[in-house]
Amino acid sequence: MSRSLTDKIKLVVGSNLLTNGAGFLAKIVFVRIASLAVYGLYRELMLVVDIAASFFRGGLPKSVYYFFPSLAGAPRRQFVSQSLSLLFGSGIIVWLGLYFFSGSIANGYFHQPELSRYLKIIAWWMPCFLAYSIFTPVLLSSDRQELAAGVSLVGSLARSLGVVAVYFFSRRLDMALWYLVALGAAQCIFMLGYCRRRGLLGRLKPDLALIRQQLAHALPLSFSRLAGSWAKNIDRLLISFFLSTEHFAIYSIGAAGLPFINSITYTINNVLQPRYVTLLNQGQTDEFRCLWHKAMGKIARIIFPLFIFSFIMAAPLIRMLYSAKYAASINIFRIYLFGLPLYFTSYGTVLRAVNRTGLILKYTLLSIAANLLISLLLFKWLGMAGPALSTVVCNYAIVFVYTLSISRLTGISRRRIFPYRELARVFGLAIFCGVLLLPVLLLQLADTWQLIAGAIWF
């Protein structure tokens, strides 16, 4: 891994950590100033947004990483222009769907009539939200990591902290949602101005051949993202259908796990994907494996210790962050943490690098079917813990299937697909330190001081 590439990764990862850290802080404030019912409604709105965006935004932003580096001049401008148009058009479709079917969604599935008027507001955000999603991939593919990091950070701060600030002063969820609409419009204006100044926009004269190529690459990713969203949210969808908004708020806090940690994996692999594509296309399998393994090792040194520490200190961590009213989230949080060790790499990145996006869809659909069946069974026996346990088990199963395909497509044997010794050494050391951490739980301290003592000792 060259020094320049390492610096780029550090820059983007650092920005994403700050971005997710700001979002995490905003959530902590939000759950403390809002009631369980209000926070539950907001999370249900974001659940609808996530599922809608997963399909209608789909793989178009990701396709930039594949096509942008191979185009130049007018074809590149054409590619960016038509990608923006496709995403904005998709957003219009989502807007119409959410606006005119808000009542059916709110009453028919969530059993929350009040959700309908909020869905009509958030619908106005969707066209700009989807169109703006192409901006970071374009910047990263243009080798503008500094600007990509800055745009991502400022946008996240404006979104997460702004929503909380508006709700704090107005105590009205609808005002916070209208703020999102205004922010989305401002972001799109800025993006269009930048792309025009940098010569990245051309006349909107669709290149049908290029559109077909892009859609052939992106549509499997679109269905995969939709399926992935369902796979990620199947447990939340079950909870929101069978239980109250307050229960959904409690479950969503536990199911969030450590989301800002997962983003490290995806960010690093997004930066590395163009390099993966080049190495695999040139048949440099050993060089690809070396680069991939280096990334795994660096990520594991962050994720494995955090998994052990968070699992042991889960009770004081949840109470300190979200207050005692979310104490029921602790067990859900611990169950979800068991899935964290899987995120030492991004498995779908390799399949995208070899242009086998159809396999991602196939495996995700398989995961959804299994997760839905197991979640329903375990929900009956274990209550809220059942869907969480099912999600973690299915994640491990699907990673095993991904590993088999990566081995077959790259020619790397299963014995060499991961740096097993390095991963085992890091995990073993984390467990050893975790055992030494257990006596801290016996200290009669307030949650905050217990976490500080635990962090210092760990």
Side-chain angles (χ1 to χ4, degrees):
M1 187 183 297
S2 67
R3 178 63 182 170
S4 60
L5 184 57
T6 301
D7 290 341
K8 292 174 184 177
I9 291 173
K10 287 180 179 179
L11 176 65
V12 178
V13 169
S15 170
N16 273 353
L17 282 176
L18 290 173
T19 295
N20 286 280
F24 195 57
L25 176 63
K27 182 169 71 172
I28 291 171
V29 176
F30 201 0
V31 299
R32 288 178 174 273
I33 64 176
S35 66
L36 284 169
V38 169
Y39 184 71
L41 280 171
Y42 179 72
R43 293 315 310 169
E44 285 177 339
L45 280 168
M46 292 301 105
L47 179 61
V48 174
V49 167
D50 184 37
I51 292 174
S54 295
F55 179 71
F56 288 94
R57 176 178 60 192
L60 285 172
K62 291 287 185 183
S63 70
V64 173
Y65 295 117
Y66 187 81
F67 287 96
F68 192 94
S70 62
L71 298 172
R76 175 178 286 183
R77 292 192 294 272
Q78 181 62 42
F79 172 78
V80 173
S81 297
Q82 70 185 27
S83 296
L84 278 170
S85 300
L86 288 171
L87 284 165
F88 190 79
S90 297
I92 294 294
I93 295 173
V94 178
W95 168 64
L96 292 172
L98 292 182
Y99 193 87
F100 290 105
F101 294 97
S102 58
S104 300
I105 297 171
N107 297 311
Y109 187 86
F110 290 99
H111 315 300
Q112 294 289 339
E114 188 180 5
L115 192 67
S116 176
R117 70 186 186 96
Y118 296 131
L119 284 171
K120 287 184 177 180
I121 298 173
I122 207 71
W124 290 92
W125 181 45
M126 298 307 296
C128 290
F129 174 60
L130 295 193
Y132 190 73
S133 65
I134 199 177
F135 197 29
T136 296
V138 166
L139 292 175
L140 289 175
S141 299
S142 304
D143 205 28
R144 297 299 303 275
Q145 284 79 17
E146 296 86 354
L147 183 58
V151 164
S152 177
L153 178 59
V154 173
S156 178
L157 289 173
R159 174 180 167 182
S160 55
L161 298 181
V163 166
V164 174
V166 171
Y167 181 79
F168 177 80
F169 288 109
S170 68
R171 286 297 193 268
R172 292 177 55 182
L173 185 57
D174 58 342
M175 295 298 294
L177 299 178
W178 280 119
Y179 167 79
L180 275 181
V181 176
L183 176 64
Q187 288 177 317
C188 272
I189 292 172
F190 173 78
M191 173 184 64
L192 290 172
Y194 172 84
C195 289
R196 185 170 296 279
R197 288 194 305 272
R198 299 291 297 184
L200 294 174
L201 292 179
R203 294 180 60 186
L204 188 57
K205 185 179 180 182
D207 183 337
L208 296 181
L210 184 57
I211 289 178
R212 284 194 295 268
Q213 292 176 28
Q214 185 179 11
L215 292 180
H217 181 87
L219 281 178
L221 284 176
S222 298
F223 289 111
S224 297
R225 287 183 66 88
L226 177 63
S229 179
W230 278 88
K232 181 181 72 174
N233 293 311
I234 195 72
D235 54 336
R236 296 167 175 83
L237 289 166
L238 287 174
I239 297 297
S240 63
F241 183 80
F242 288 112
L243 299 178
S244 66
T245 302
E246 289 81 0
H247 283 98
F248 182 77
I250 289 171
Y251 187 89
S252 66
I253 288 295
L258 299 175
F260 59 94
I261 298 301
N262 298 352
S263 71
I264 295 175
T265 303
Y266 296 122
T267 302
I268 289 176
N269 282 278
N270 279 342
V271 175
L272 290 175
Q273 186 174 348
R275 183 63 176 158
Y276 291 162
V277 172
T278 300
L279 292 174
L280 290 171
N281 284 342
Q282 294 176 354
Q284 300 181 53
T285 305
D286 289 338
E287 289 80 358
F288 159 74
R289 183 174 59 85
C290 181
L291 181 60
W292 197 33
H293 283 191
K294 281 185 178 181
M296 289 181 197
K298 293 181 183 296
I299 296 170
R301 290 170 199 156
I302 300 171
I303 287 181
F304 290 173
L306 277 172
F307 161 62
I308 298 297
F309 178 83
S310 300
F311 186 85
I312 293 173
M313 305 298 291
L317 183 63
I318 291 294
R319 290 194 299 263
M320 188 271 290
L321 291 176
Y322 305 112
S323 78
K325 67 182 178 181
Y326 285 94
S329 303
I330 294 170
N331 288 336
I332 305 299
F333 178 70
R334 279 199 170 114
I335 292 171
Y336 254 86
L337 281 177
F338 275 109
L340 189 60
L342 292 173
Y343 291 96
F344 60 82
T345 190
S346 173
Y347 309 91
T349 298
V350 181
L351 296 185
R352 290 196 298 270
V354 295
N355 202 22
R356 294 299 299 273
T357 54
L359 287 176
I360 300 176
L361 173 60
K362 176 181 176 181
Y363 298 151
T364 307
L365 290 175
L366 179 64
S367 177
I368 289 176
N371 196 6
L372 178 59
L373 177 61
I374 298 172
S375 290
L376 288 170
L377 292 174
L378 294 183
F379 178 75
K380 181 178 180 181
W381 297 332
L382 302 176
M384 282 200 300
L389 181 59
S390 172
T391 299
V392 172
V393 170
C394 288
N395 283 345
Y396 273 90
I398 206 66
V399 162
F400 176 74
V401 176
Y402 268 111
T403 302
L404 296 179
S405 288
I406 291 171
S407 175
R408 175 174 55 85
L409 292 169
T410 61
I412 302 173
S413 69
R414 278 173 281 175
R415 295 177 60 183
R416 304 179 67 199
I417 199 75
F418 298 131
Y420 294 104
R421 289 186 179 180
E422 171 70 8
L423 296 176
R425 184 185 66 81
V426 175
F427 196 70
L429 181 59
I431 291 176
F432 176 75
C433 294
V435 172
L436 298 180
L437 182 63
L438 291 173
V440 176
L441 295 177
L442 302 177
L443 299 176
Q444 299 299 315
L445 297 173
D447 291 331
T448 301
W449 289 110
Q450 194 172 57
L451 282 169
I452 293 172
I456 294 172
W457 181 245
F458 188 74

